[in-house]
Amino acid sequence: MSVLCLVEHDGGAVPGLSLQALTFARSVAVQGDSRLAAVVVGEPDPTVVACVTEHGATDLHIVTEPRLVDFAARAWAQALRQVMDAAGPSAVVAPGTDRGHDVLGYLAALTDLPMAAGCIRAEVGDGGVELTRIRWAGSLLEEASLSAPTALLAVAPQLVPAMPAASAAEIEVHHHTPVLEPQDLAGRAVGSVSREAGTISLSDATVVVGGGRGVGGAEEFAVLEELAELLGGTVGGSRVATSLGWRPHRDQVGQTGTRIAPELYIACGISGAIQHMAGCKSAKHLLAINTDAEAPIMRSADYAVVGDLHEVLPAVIAAIRALP
Amino acid sequence: VDVLVCVKRVPMPGATLSLTADERGIDTKFLGFTVSPHEECAVEEAVRLTTAVPGRSVVLTLGPEEAIEQLRDAISMGMQEAVLLLTDGQEWGPQATASAIASVIEAERDSGGGFDLMLFGNEAADTGDYQVPIRVAERLGVPCATGVKAISVEGDSVTATREYNGALETYRLTLPAVVSVREGINLPRYPSLPGRIKAKKAQIDRREPAATPDGLRLRRLRVPEGAGRTAEVLGTGAEAAPRVVEVLQSLGLVGR
């Protein structure tokens, strides 16, 4: 038997969420003594092959087709289905990304199989899988069973730490050219424009300085920007901050925004609603700065400063600048 | 342009979530109800689209009788018609939900009342299944784009844009099409007073779909263990700055 895992790649890099998916898929594969097979669309860079090998893949299925240069969820799913037909896997795993959800959703619809998103654990049994998945973006956990000949599982973002395998085997490479119908490409991306280069994305940042209602306005975020720059990090906002237009929506940390996993999250003037906490629970350390010592966020923080962020942050910035 | 929007009634959680005694649901005794922010934006988008190019706007939900509250909220924002797919109060899985929604759309289409655009939220606030819009699109044989943060309809196609890995991806789909949207696509309006009055009087089209089995079944819910953190208070106001810097140094984030 085997477990298939969809792996995204961009240039020579495999994004963190794909490595988390591979790690999860490996935990499923070892239970059934199955082979772990990575599936990539588009010819991968040698560094990508090395990376999936290091994360325990023993097979690599490379799907190439000229029309797959632009992302098309249904076409990727058709390709995955054709690999699935050849490999007969017990499970197909996808990363908890837009593309991962799209492709697995299409695979589920095309095969009429059930699918579980947000998985953090899965145990393969006879005729089905017992799994733990997140609800409310991780504020609740669900124990569920999935009965299907092949389990389709998308992994919860930032909750399954990526880990290389203890030992890496020689990887076997298989090439596929999928048969595609026009309707597979009806929903393909017709263009892609990169945003300004050099900006640190929220989901990859080592330090995130987040601001909420307590910041008070769009211009008042300047002091957060200054601290983030000093620490080599980036700025995020609560739903209040983005709904009021103080920050663009893409800066939102939370259930309907980005799930972050920095080394340190500095939450300034954020009360800590569960939808926000769902977005920052994978931060390794949390420093909360709030005027209210009883704010819910103080209960989830490692470090707390009670006070007005507009007094605390300038003092912190001055103290950092004063360091020898 | 004729637009259908699908929404889901969910509790409005407070600072914590607690479970019912059977551990199969959230204790909602003290909670209000709403729809996900993504879906609120989908409703707003439908109102804007059908105002710009006049057409029919219908809001649909699958849920218990009480979900009429969310349908009326959508009408108060400017939607014209509302459909309730009444359940027995049990939670329906994503396969069963998609099947029931697709059946209604097919029935509308067969009676000459099909939709150009079918909008969803990117994922439900509670179950986060990420698959209902795609399953509906496949059943109907129409294209689908997800996670969309900008929509424009021109002629017989819709252009949809989403953010991906720091880039903006554009999709052009021939209508009819399914699009799932993300919060941030617009800023939903507050209901007007005339809107609220209209919503109170609006007729609700009630239907009772047949339940179909779902391969994904809930066993029980649990509240995750907390991180077990007890915050170390570094100080009060600006006086805390030296301790904050010590913490930054211990984490290796500023020079030692």
Side-chain angles (χ1 to χ4, degrees):
Chain A
M1 285 298 262
S2 64
V3 171
L4 294 185
C5 181
L6 178 69
V7 172
E8 297 177 51
H9 61 108
D10 189 8
V14 180
L17 296 181
S18 280
L19 295 179
Q20 293 170 24
L22 259 180
T23 307
F24 175 89
R26 194 171 78 227
S27 77
V28 179
V30 293
Q31 296 168 34
D33 223 1
S34 300
R35 291 175 72 85
L36 174 61
V39 184
V40 298
V41 177
E43 198 60 52
D45 198 275
T47 54
V48 171
V49 181
C51 181
V52 298
T53 308
E54 190 185 312
H55 283 79
T58 48
D59 294 272
L60 174 62
H61 297 277
I62 301 173
V63 177
T64 47
E65 215 275 357
R67 291 172 295 175
L68 285 178
V69 173
D70 299 313
F71 178 66
R74 196 179 200 269
W76 282 39
Q78 284 290 11
L80 199 53
R81 184 189 192 177
Q82 288 162 32
V83 174
M84 190 173 141
D85 286 346
S90 57
V92 179
V93 175
T97 59
D98 280 351
R99 287 187 176 182
H101 291 138
D102 283 353
V103 173
L104 207 63
Y106 265 107
L107 186 62
L110 291 168
T111 55
D112 203 24
L113 286 169
M115 159 188 162
C119 298
I120 57 173
R121 181 196 68 96
E123 258 169 57
V124 187
D126 288 335
V129 172
E130 296 295 314
L131 56 91
T132 307
R133 61 188 291 263
I134 58 170
R135 286 200 177 200
W136 292 96
S139 303
L140 274 187
L141 298 178
E142 172 187 354
E143 307 292 351
S145 53
L146 187 78
S147 38
T150 304
L152 307 186
L153 309 171
V155 181
Q158 312 291 20
L159 294 177
V160 180
M163 268 187 292
S167 62
E170 190 83 2
I171 198 157
E172 215 174 283
V173 177
H174 317 262
H175 285 272
H176 300 264
T177 304
V179 179
L180 299 178
E181 304 289 338
Q183 70 261 35
D184 293 329
L185 298 151
R188 76 176 190 281
V190 293
S192 177
V193 184
S194 295
R195 271 210 307 266
E196 61 276 33
T199 51
I200 301 165
S201 87
L202 264 183
S203 52
D204 297 331
T206 315
V207 177
V208 176
V209 183
R213 190 184 297 277
V215 177
E219 282 164 23
E220 283 76 4
F221 265 88
V223 67
L224 280 75
E225 296 275 7
E226 191 180 351
L227 179 62
E229 200 184 325
L230 268 178
L231 300 175
T234 193
V235 169
S238 70
R239 181 153 184 255
V240 172
T242 57
S243 296
L244 290 172
W246 297 349
R247 302 296 299 183
H249 183 266
R250 65 169 177 271
D251 285 358
Q252 189 190 113
V253 172
Q255 178 164 351
T256 48
T258 302
R259 322 273 164 89
I260 59 169
E263 197 56 37
L264 175 65
Y265 180 44
I266 306 178
C268 309
I270 292 175
S271 65
I274 67 160
Q275 292 93 332
H276 184 75
M277 299 317 296
C280 65
K281 67 192 307 167
S282 299
K284 291 202 185 60
H285 303 275
L286 171 55
L287 162 61
I289 302 172
N290 206 295
T291 50
D292 178 6
E294 302 301 321
I297 197 155
M298 297 301 213
R299 290 198 294 270
S300 307
D302 300 287
Y303 307 101
V305 175
V306 181
D308 182 346
L309 68 101
H310 291 297
E311 289 167 17
V312 179
L313 293 188
V316 169
I317 289 166
I320 295 172
R321 291 201 193 283
L323 287 174
Chain B
V1 55
D2 296 337
V3 183
L4 174 77
V5 182
C6 298
V7 300
K8 180 179 187 181
R9 171 182 169 92
V10 293
M12 214 183 304
T16 55
L17 282 169
S18 53
L19 300 177
T20 53
D22 68 0
E23 298 183 317
R24 293 179 64 85
I26 293 175
D27 183 358
T28 55
K29 229 176 300 167
F30 304 108
L31 299 181
F33 286 82
T34 182
V35 299
S36 124
H38 298 320
E39 291 160 14
E40 243 176 72
C41 291
V43 169
E44 174 66 32
E45 201 64 21
V47 172
R48 289 186 191 186
L49 289 168
T50 53
T51 307
V53 182
R56 189 176 170 219
S57 63
V58 180
V59 57
L60 176 150
T61 195
L62 180 141
E65 184 72 25
E66 291 80 7
I68 286 177
E69 180 191 351
Q70 280 60 51
L71 294 176
R72 293 201 194 280
D73 286 348
I75 290 176
S76 71
M77 285 174 68
M79 298 294 289
Q80 298 157 3
E81 302 169 43
V83 180
L84 171 67
L85 302 183
L86 188 64
T87 64
D88 51 3
Q90 294 298 306
E91 182 177 286
W92 285 34
Q95 278 178 295
T97 301
S99 170
I101 293 171
S103 295
V104 172
I105 299 171
E106 280 169 347
E108 287 284 309
R109 188 166 65 182
D110 293 346
S111 61
F115 299 99
D116 300 307
L117 201 55
M118 290 146 279
L119 298 181
F120 291 77
N122 193 57
E123 84 279 358
D126 54 351
T127 49
D129 293 310
Y130 293 94
Q131 57 191 274
V132 171
I134 294 172
R135 287 189 190 270
V136 170
E138 272 303 291
R139 255 278 296 275
L140 300 172
V142 304
C144 174
T146 68
V148 166
K149 288 180 95 169
I151 289 180
S152 65
V153 174
E154 276 158 50
D156 66 348
S157 75
V158 55
T159 303
T161 307
R162 76 170 177 189
E163 293 167 0
Y164 202 72
N165 286 348
L168 291 176
E169 270 182 357
T170 303
Y171 295 84
R172 196 163 299 124
L173 311 178
T174 305
L175 299 175
V178 169
V179 173
S180 83
V181 308
R182 270 228 165 93
E183 184 186 25
I185 189 174
N186 55 41
L187 216 48
R189 71 193 67 193
Y190 288 105
S192 63
L193 188 59
R196 285 186 197 281
I197 292 165
K198 189 169 164 240
K200 220 180 253 180
K201 295 188 201 150
Q203 285 290 316
I204 308 288
D205 177 359
R206 272 190 188 70
R207 305 185 195 189
E208 289 186 35
T212 48
D214 215 288
L216 177 64
R217 283 188 317 278
L218 161 73
R219 289 206 183 285
R220 70 179 191 97
L221 299 175
R222 62 189 168 90
V223 179
E225 292 151 30
R229 287 168 172 164
T230 317
E232 180 189 337
V233 179
L234 302 178
T236 305
E239 288 163 17
R243 287 284 294 121
V244 171
V245 173
E246 279 174 37
V247 167
L248 295 174
Q249 284 176 316
S250 72
L251 297 175
L253 297 170
V254 292
R256 286 152 292 274

